[in-house]
Amino acid sequence: MQGNQQGQLIYVVSDSIGETAELVVRAGASQFDRFLIDVQKYPYIEDKDSIDEIIASAKESKAMIVFTLVIPELNAYITQQAALHGIPAIDVMGPLMQTLQNMLQEPPTGKPGLVRRLDEEYFRKVDAIEFAVKYDDGRDPRGLLRADVVLIGVSRTSKTPLSMYLANKRLKVANVPLVPEVEPPEELFQLPPERCIGLTINPEQLNGIRTERLKALGLTAQANYANLDRIAEELAYSNKIIERLGCPVIDVSRKAVEETANIILEMIRKNNLRNEKK
């Protein structure tokens, strides 16, 4: 202790990592600046024997206990034991959970660590979206070997919208445009065939899509980009590459992005395609 400051020991007990209880304790402690608050965390407490050890230590150290135990049996046990031994104890989540249960007319799941899992899912989604942006349109072929799935096809086969849709499902997706004048990156041919998905489309529909795209850009619809002969050449080249890779192919003609994405998700589920080499 320094100066005239007094100290208080607080045990934070949780069946997860204890972040919630620790945050509450530190927020409260900040209002008592004359005191030194020493916080000790006991995470992943899942049995009564561990609680007994904490109770004995708290009694000896004159510590206060702040806990977040969502498993009802453990919650009741630590409350009972703290009262039995005269140890101040605060259940951080209990009143909130009880009020929610009364309002929603449904009991809580009683599963520890759900908030952390939600946080992890959120950051995985952000990571996947950043990945899709970075490796869109064949910008950096080094990302192909790190992707969960690689989409290939000619321009305007929905590669980018599909990449972003799948990224929101926490999948790392890269895509590569297939153009007759440009040799595909060698990394593409290092992928297992099932990790790559070819996208094809009806020539007439692609012609309509490209024509509208040219109009939106203020260009003439007669440009080579929307020429049917050019489209046929590109699709033939794309089919050749897809056959060379031996990868599955999806005809996106008349399909919404969501429909195609669901087909891809089912492929990934069946083949367990999540890439472990991140």
Side-chain angles (χ1 to χ4, degrees), residues 29-253:
S30 68
Q31 301 298 314
F32 299 89
D33 55 8
R34 286 199 312 108
F35 292 79
L36 291 175
I37 306 296
D38 184 11
V39 178
Q40 293 186 17
K41 276 208 302 183
Y42 293 86
Y44 304 112
I45 300 301
E46 297 178 346
D47 59 81
K48 292 181 179 180
D49 288 342
S50 297
I51 290 175
D52 288 339
E53 293 176 8
I54 292 167
I55 290 290
S57 178
K59 185 174 183 179
E60 182 179 349
S61 304
K62 296 183 172 54
M64 171 183 176
I65 295 176
V66 176
F67 62 94
T68 52
L69 296 173
V70 298
I71 300 172
E73 183 183 6
L74 296 183
N75 187 296
Y77 187 73
I78 195 170
T79 301
Q80 177 193 53
Q81 292 301 306
L84 182 64
H85 293 278
I87 300 167
I90 301 295
D91 179 2
V92 171
M93 296 290 288
L96 172 62
M97 299 282 281
Q98 187 60 56
T99 301
L100 283 172
Q101 181 175 340
N102 294 341
M103 289 182 64
L104 302 175
Q105 294 295 298
E106 183 172 330
T109 62
K111 296 178 182 177
L114 293 182
V115 171
R116 181 173 174 81
R117 281 177 228 168
L118 287 172
D119 287 345
E120 288 173 349
E121 290 294 294
Y122 171 77
F123 286 114
R124 277 181 58 195
K125 180 189 290 189
V126 170
D127 195 28
I129 291 171
E130 290 177 347
F131 187 95
V133 171
K134 183 174 182 180
Y135 299 111
D136 182 44
D137 208 30
R139 283 182 192 147
D140 185 349
R142 293 173 298 179
L144 301 183
L145 300 179
R146 296 176 50 225
D148 292 315
V149 64
V150 177
L151 306 178
I152 61 172
V154 301
S155 173
R156 313 312 289 179
T157 47
S158 300
K159 296 185 298 300
T160 295
L162 279 167
S163 295
M164 297 307 298
Y165 187 97
L166 294 169
N168 275 278
K169 301 295 182 181
R170 301 175 299 283
L171 290 169
K172 291 186 174 180
V173 185
N175 70 77
V176 177
L178 297 179
V179 184
E181 294 77 17
V182 180
E183 182 68 19
E186 61 181 46
E187 288 86 352
L188 193 61
F189 300 98
Q190 297 172 20
L191 291 169
E194 66 274 12
R195 201 178 291 284
C196 183
I197 296 176
L199 304 176
T200 190
I201 190 171
N202 175 277
E204 287 74 24
Q205 183 180 349
L206 183 56
N207 171 257
I209 293 171
R210 289 189 174 183
T211 298
E212 291 303 314
R213 175 63 175 164
L214 288 172
K215 287 179 182 177
L217 295 173
L219 302 173
T220 173
Q222 304 305 313
N224 193 42
Y225 180 68
N227 182 278
L228 271 172
D229 289 337
R230 170 63 183 184
I231 287 173
E233 179 188 358
E234 289 185 33
L235 289 172
Y237 175 75
S238 175
N239 290 336
K240 179 181 174 183
I241 297 297
I242 290 170
E243 288 176 9
R244 182 177 162 190
L245 290 167
C247 66
V249 60
I250 300 174
D251 188 341
V252 300
S253 305

Side-chain angles (χ1 to χ4, degrees), residues 165-166 169 171 261-270:
Y165 187 97
L166 294 169
K169 301 295 182 181
L171 290 169
N262 285 333
I263 295 171
I264 294 171
L265 288 168
E266 183 62 18
M267 288 179 175
I268 291 170
R269 187 189 66 78
K270 284 184 177 178

